[in-house]
Amino acid sequence: MLNFIYEQLPVRVVFAAGSFDRLAEEVERLGLKRAMVLSTPGQRRLAEEAAKRLGVATAGIHAEAVMHVPVETARLARETARRLAADCLVAIGGGSTIGLAKAVALDTGLPIIAVPTTYSGSEMTPIYGLTDGGVKRTGRDRKVLPRVVIYDAALTVGLPAKVSGPSGMNALAHCVEALYAPDSNPITALMASQGIRALGRALPLVIKEPLNLEARGEALCGAWLAGAVLGTTAMGLHHKLCHTLGGTFNLPHAELHTVILPHAAAYNRAAASGAMRLIASALGAGDAPQGLYDLAKKLGTPLSLKELGMPEDGIERAAKLASESPYQNPRPVDYAGVKRLIEDAWHGRRPA
Ligand code: NAD
């Protein structure tokens, strides 16, 4: 019997190549007049383009976003927003920039207009993260959910292949775990399956032809769906493992997701057979974990924890940490099983 609660998150989405040009219109539609534009230092030129489009509705540019939103960076951005008397935040960039806007919104309640340029999917979630003294704290608050998201695939063509592949696989991981989440439902399953289908089809093309706008659009659409299910379902062993390994060994976020995903899926293969069928079918593969591994291989991304720089003698510690506190996962999480999973991922073996 179907039995579930689903809360639709209220985000307006403008999806079209060239939609960046509609930024001012969208800000005006919300009745806002003083936008603070946020970006990373590396994307300042794009922030200036946004300011140009906003014209008199620009309060200022704050191009100071960095990875993982350190509390000091968040404090500075809040102070700048107050000094500029901003009435909204335009976040243009990846998860780091959108994360900074969320940190400001959490404190000030300012509405966010997000213009994503990667596949992080953060623009679709009410999840925020702040790093204090090297420790990342995450939480959920409706205040940080963007009011409008402008998806313009043309802004993603400059995303290098070595960033696009892992960033897309990171998004795909949200879809995979959403399919076997305890709070999965027919709506999230639809979105997650379509997200896997879109990303699985588009990412190899994006790597081969970075300027292919159609493939970029399809990947971006997959990233949207991935963000939407990340925001509405509880993630399992895969995300827990990535969090533990990333924090303990300081490994790159998206690449880590890419390496772990086929092995986490293999761990859950028998316990989540329905989800595995959906994943395999969306990838056009005979088996879900192998399909995920083959996709990562096609993208030319690292396939082993060894390549990411994790020391082999860290496997036992990681397995202990990841299996310590019980959490929701289709197959119960036990030390021996997780240790085997990490060993396979360390060597980059194709799932059996
Ligand atoms: P990022 O935002 O850190 O961007 C990586 C680099 O790529 C930056 O230097 C950026 O300037 C550059 N860049 C971005 N778009 C570009 C483009 N189109 N062309 C060229 N360069 C570009 O990376 P990310 O993967 O988007 O985000 C990662 C962060 O987001 C992590 O901190 C992660 O924890 C967080 N995240 C949060 C959520 C959430 O729901 N809160 C979801 C997913 C990820």
Side-chain angles (χ1 to χ4, degrees):
M1 254 292 261
L2 282 176
N3 182 356
F4 62 88
I5 295 172
Y6 175 66
E7 226 177 312
Q8 180 78 42
L9 296 176
V11 185
R12 174 178 163 91
V13 174
V14 180
F15 195 106
S19 55
F20 186 31
D21 290 340
R22 293 193 219 159
L23 178 60
E25 195 185 310
E26 288 300 320
V27 168
E28 195 187 333
R29 201 183 152 272
L30 294 173
L32 300 164
K33 295 183 167 35
R34 291 189 61 79
M36 176 166 98
V37 181
L38 297 104
S39 74
T40 58
Q43 288 190 298
R44 176 177 264 281
R45 284 250 310 275
L46 199 54
E48 285 165 358
E49 283 296 317
K52 217 188 281 171
R53 282 161 175 75
L54 287 165
V56 291
T58 308
I61 293 177
H62 185 73
E64 307 286 340
V66 293
M67 195 80 152
H68 300 315
V69 198
V71 283
E72 304 77 25
T73 312
R75 197 174 303 126
L76 179 65
R78 277 184 213 124
E79 283 166 9
T80 310
R82 286 203 181 99
R83 184 170 47 76
L84 294 172
D87 64 3
C88 64
L89 307 163
V90 168
I92 178 149
S96 299
T97 302
I98 295 166
L100 181 60
K102 286 177 167 182
V104 177
L106 185 66
D107 194 49
T108 60
L110 292 178
I112 300 174
I113 295 94
V115 188
T117 63
T118 71
Y119 307 131
S120 84
S122 175
E123 67 280 358
M124 275 296 144
T125 81
I127 304 167
Y128 62 87
L130 282 157
T131 307
D132 194 358
V135 180
K136 190 163 183 177
R137 175 173 60 87
T138 60
R140 282 176 187 257
D141 195 309
R142 279 290 185 95
K143 265 197 299 208
V144 310
L145 182 73
R147 294 274 294 277
V148 178
V149 178
I150 297 178
Y151 283 110
D152 183 346
L155 300 179
T156 65
V157 294
L159 195 65
K162 69 175 197 317
V163 183
S164 300
S167 181
M169 287 300 287
N170 188 3
L172 216 143
H174 307 329
C175 297
V176 166
E177 292 231 290
L179 283 172
Y180 54 62
D183 47 1
S184 166
N185 61 61
I187 310 301
T188 57
L190 255 181
M191 292 197 284
S193 299
Q194 180 55 26
I196 296 171
R197 188 166 298 113
L199 288 161
R201 203 163 41 199
L203 290 176
L205 257 175
V206 159
I207 301 303
K208 227 168 63 189
E209 304 165 24
L211 302 180
N212 184 328
L213 211 52
E214 204 161 313
R216 287 287 189 180
E218 188 165 29
L220 202 54
C221 192
W224 159 14
L225 295 166
V229 293
L230 173 68
T232 47
T233 57
M235 298 288 110
L237 172 66
H238 169 80
H239 281 74
K240 165 82 178 181
L241 254 179
C242 290
H243 192 79
T244 305
L245 291 167
T248 310
F249 303 104
N250 194 24
L251 305 177
H253 181 84
E255 286 78 1
L256 180 56
H257 273 271
T258 311
V259 169
I260 293 293
L261 187 60
H263 303 284
Y267 185 94
N268 283 323
R269 188 193 265 130
S273 52
M276 294 300 147
R277 268 195 300 279
L278 290 173
I279 298 163
S281 147
L283 289 175
D287 172 76
Q290 291 180 356
L292 292 166
Y293 183 89
D294 293 340
L295 175 61
K297 200 167 173 189
K298 223 187 272 180
L299 302 180
T301 63
L303 293 171
S304 69
L305 294 173
K306 186 180 173 185
E307 285 169 89
L308 300 187
M310 178 181 158
E312 190 170 13
D313 63 8
I315 293 177
E316 286 186 12
R317 182 153 62 110
K320 194 161 170 291
L321 285 172
S323 53
E324 246 167 24
S325 48
Y327 49 90
Q328 294 272 12
N329 188 62
R331 173 178 156 194
V333 177
D334 67 273
Y335 172 77
V338 171
K339 182 165 169 265
R340 214 168 308 122
L341 183 169
I342 302 174
E343 272 165 4
D344 286 343
W346 193 85
H347 290 281
R349 294 179 185 129
R350 188 168 193 267

